Amino acid sequence: MKTPLPRIALFLTAATLPLLALGSSHREAPFIAGTPRVDGTDFYMFRSYESGREGYVTLIANYLPLQDAYGGPNYFALDEKALYEIHIDNNGDAREDITFQFRFDDMYKNLTVPAGGKNVAVPLINIGQVDTNAANLNMSQSYSVAIVRGNRRGSIPQLLGNATSGGDRFQKPADNIGNKSIPDYASYAGNFIYSANIPGCSTPARVFAGQRKEGFVVNLGEVFDLVNTNPAGPRDGEPNTIADKNVTTLALEVPISCLTRSSEPVIGGWTTASLRQVRLINPKPSSPRRTTVEAGAWTQVSRLGSPLVNEVVVGLPDKDRFNGSEPRDDGQFATYVTNPTLPVLLNVLFGNAAIPPQTPRNDLVAAFLTGVPGLNQPANVRAAEMLRLNTSIAPTPVAAQKDLGVLGGDNAGFPNGRRPVDDVVDIELRVAQGVLCSAALKCGDQTADPNNGIPYTDGSRAAGPTAATSMVSGAVFAADTYLDTFPYLATPLPGSPNEAAY
């Protein structure tokens, strides 16, 4: 990796995911915008950089976007009638070889208080301080995690064992209601990180499912207001518009040896969410669990591999189709990669300050569908969109991580997998504008970047892991920091008090 190839590599994978977005994949398609509990928002896959955990890969799948911390009284439970999945392809054929399935169950206590001589059910999720015993918690969720090897619909799932407390069930912590209900949320949530036994894997994994601080960073409002900002200005000159949001995280830390094949260190990954094909609404539900009746086959409604693909690459008519598709069928979306529209739109807005590269974009095809040779392309690869990670590349210690990933000289960052700190918006914006165009990776007839390496940016940048100071004088970026331990995304914002976050 001592040649310029890694830099090209990074941008190739990123290139297919151009530009700017509401979130990495937040509300990106017409159907999923109306079903937020199964909306996959971000997918992270990286070699663990927590001290002593370098032999593991961390998989983080986020769902249910743009959560306001004060969004009570029901807050943000996941859908117990949905199937949440993380898929791994470990031989390059664009088919899942390993799938981790998360299923959630609602538990209602129907807590009551005496009111006028009668015990009356309360309307709130808690009636006192919440701790791990959950005595005052009116509604909670537990979940199972299963592994499926081979076809996710044709093979038998095997449940992971809870090596911390026994059995095969895990508990999800309550969302961060506020400091009066949960005075020390970080400590409280830490009790829900479990050691887990994976069938067929001799080394335990770790698992966590619960609310986290939104880790994606973007200058949201200005971006969608016809890019009402300076795309060549300072990287840290604008606030992170979604710094006041939370998200729900499904996190797994799995030994590398349990994910890879002996002869192939590169794995591909993506997430999905599925619902039953038929949902009937009960006009007279007798309890929260009887509001609908589900039937039929599992039907995929959300999909996410590399960030921003469906958000800003796939055209509006095909967004729902992409969410229901599988990587092996991605040839149907090839035109959106070879002839991307966002560089054209930016040229309309900014003229010669944003010259669109010529088409067809062969540079984007390489990154979007195959991974980058010499970085994260498997030996035998079938073209398909997914996040790819070369597990033979050691993790970069926290203090040395570069948020531009491979572009910044950090081969353990995006597009070689994705870490929370990686600034995928800036990376992909530069790729979309042609930073990878070269003799080896032509853009039409062009063999050089038509924009001469202009450092395009949305102007919003996060602080790094465990950083304690603002990156911009007078601006509050400390809330965008990350943890340097599993599950890596920061403690969610509390519903109360919340003035500091807004």
Side-chain angles (χ1 to χ4, degrees), residues 18-369:
L19 301 189
L20 314 155
L22 173 84
S24 181
S25 187
H26 302 50
R27 295 172 53 81
E28 78 284 352
F31 176 81
I32 205 66
T35 53
R37 292 202 293 173
V38 288
D39 185 357
T41 65
D42 283 282
F43 177 46
Y44 304 92
M45 181 171 66
F46 54 91
R47 282 275 301 269
S48 298
Y49 46 85
E50 178 181 342
S51 178
R53 307 293 292 187
E54 295 82 2
Y56 294 77
V57 167
T58 294
L59 309 167
I60 297 175
N62 284 350
Y63 293 89
L64 217 170
L66 305 177
Q67 298 176 15
D68 291 318
Y70 49 79
N74 291 298
Y75 297 95
F76 302 99
L78 291 179
D79 191 342
E80 69 169 343
K81 297 177 180 178
L83 178 63
Y84 301 89
E85 296 176 299
I86 300 174
H87 310 281
I88 300 295
D89 168 21
N90 60 20
N91 63 2
D93 67 354
R95 297 175 184 270
E96 67 275 9
D97 298 295
I98 299 171
T99 295
F100 295 100
Q101 299 181 332
F102 289 74
R103 297 288 308 275
F104 289 82
D105 285 305
D106 297 343
M107 297 175 289
Y108 290 92
K109 290 185 178 177
N110 298 324
L111 296 176
T112 63
V113 296
K118 296 182 179 180
N119 289 328
V120 182
V122 299
L124 306 176
I125 196 173
N126 66 305
I127 59 173
Q129 281 197 355
V130 176
D131 57 23
T132 55
N133 294 324
N136 293 322
L137 196 58
N138 206 8
M139 184 271 181
S140 61
Q141 288 194 308
S142 67
Y143 62 98
S144 65
V145 186
I147 185 171
V148 180
R149 289 184 168 86
N151 186 336
R152 58 174 164 157
R153 298 293 179 261
S155 302
I156 298 175
Q158 296 176 285
L159 291 174
L160 274 63
N162 186 332
T164 300
S165 55
D168 54 23
R169 302 296 301 178
F170 305 88
Q171 300 298 316
K172 176 180 175 289
D175 292 340
N176 198 352
I177 300 165
N179 291 350
K180 186 175 182 180
S181 293
I182 311 175
D184 184 355
Y185 192 88
S187 295
Y188 163 74
N191 292 302
F192 296 85
I193 297 175
Y194 297 96
S195 178
N197 293 322
I198 301 175
C201 182
S202 60
T203 305
R206 286 195 292 186
V207 63
F208 171 84
Q211 192 179 51
R212 295 282 90 189
K213 168 78 171 58
E214 172 62 79
F216 189 72
V217 175
V218 64
N219 181 18
L220 185 59
E222 284 78 2
V223 162
F224 282 126
D225 184 21
L226 299 178
V227 193
N228 187 18
T229 188
N230 178 5
R235 289 188 62 207
D236 52 8
E238 302 282 351
N240 171 22
T241 314
I242 58 176
D244 60 349
K245 303 299 182 184
N246 292 327
V247 72
T248 299
T249 288
L250 310 182
L252 269 172
E253 187 185 52
V254 183
I256 293 173
S257 60
C258 297
L259 294 176
T260 59
R261 301 197 180 207
S262 59
S263 61
E264 178 56 77
V266 176
I267 59 174
W270 70 100
T271 70
T272 62
S274 300
L275 297 170
R276 292 295 185 185
Q277 195 167 20
V278 177
R279 172 169 288 187
L280 300 177
I281 299 175
N282 185 348
K284 296 181 179 181
S286 58
S287 73
R289 302 191 69 177
R290 298 181 181 274
T291 55
T292 62
V293 176
E294 320 287 323
W298 288 116
T299 303
Q300 184 179 302
V301 295
S302 179
R303 171 188 166 190
L304 177 62
S306 294
L308 307 178
V309 173
N310 203 7
E311 190 91 26
V312 293
V313 177
V314 178
L316 186 61
D318 286 323
K319 286 181 177 291
D320 290 328
R321 181 190 298 272
F322 181 87
N323 268 343
S325 68
E326 298 187 44
R328 62 178 179 267
D329 299 322
D330 282 343
Q332 64 186 310
F333 306 113
T335 298
Y336 294 120
V337 181
T338 59
N339 298 72
T341 59
L342 280 173
V344 178
L345 295 174
L346 284 180
N347 179 245
V348 171
L349 293 171
F350 296 103
N352 288 336
I355 300 172
Q358 293 178 8
T359 58
R361 295 293 300 273
N362 295 313
D363 59 333
L364 304 190
V365 170
F368 185 37
L369 298 177

Side-chain angles (χ1 to χ4, degrees), residues 336-459:
Y336 294 120
V337 181
T338 59
N339 298 72
T341 59
L342 280 173
V344 178
L345 295 174
L346 284 180
N347 179 245
V348 171
L349 293 171
F350 296 103
N352 288 336
I355 300 172
Q358 293 178 8
T359 58
R361 295 293 300 273
N362 295 313
D363 59 333
L364 304 190
V365 170
F368 185 37
L369 298 177
T370 64
V372 179
L375 181 73
N376 64 345
Q377 184 182 101
N380 300 298
V381 62
R382 175 175 176 171
E385 191 285 308
M386 62 183 72
L387 192 62
R388 289 185 171 87
L389 172 68
N390 187 339
T391 63
S392 69
I393 296 177
T396 302
V398 167
Q401 289 179 3
K402 307 295 184 183
D403 66 353
L404 288 178
V406 178
L407 176 62
D410 184 355
N411 288 344
F414 185 76
N416 183 33
R418 180 189 175 191
R419 304 166 303 194
V421 76
D422 291 331
D423 190 347
V424 294
V425 174
D426 281 13
I427 293 168
E428 295 178 0
L429 178 56
R430 297 176 192 192
V431 172
Q433 289 304 113
V435 73
L436 296 183
C437 295
S438 64
L441 304 169
K442 289 185 178 181
C443 302
D445 294 327
Q446 293 173 330
T447 58
D449 176 7
N451 292 291
N452 300 310
I454 293 176
Y456 294 109
T457 179
D458 70 328

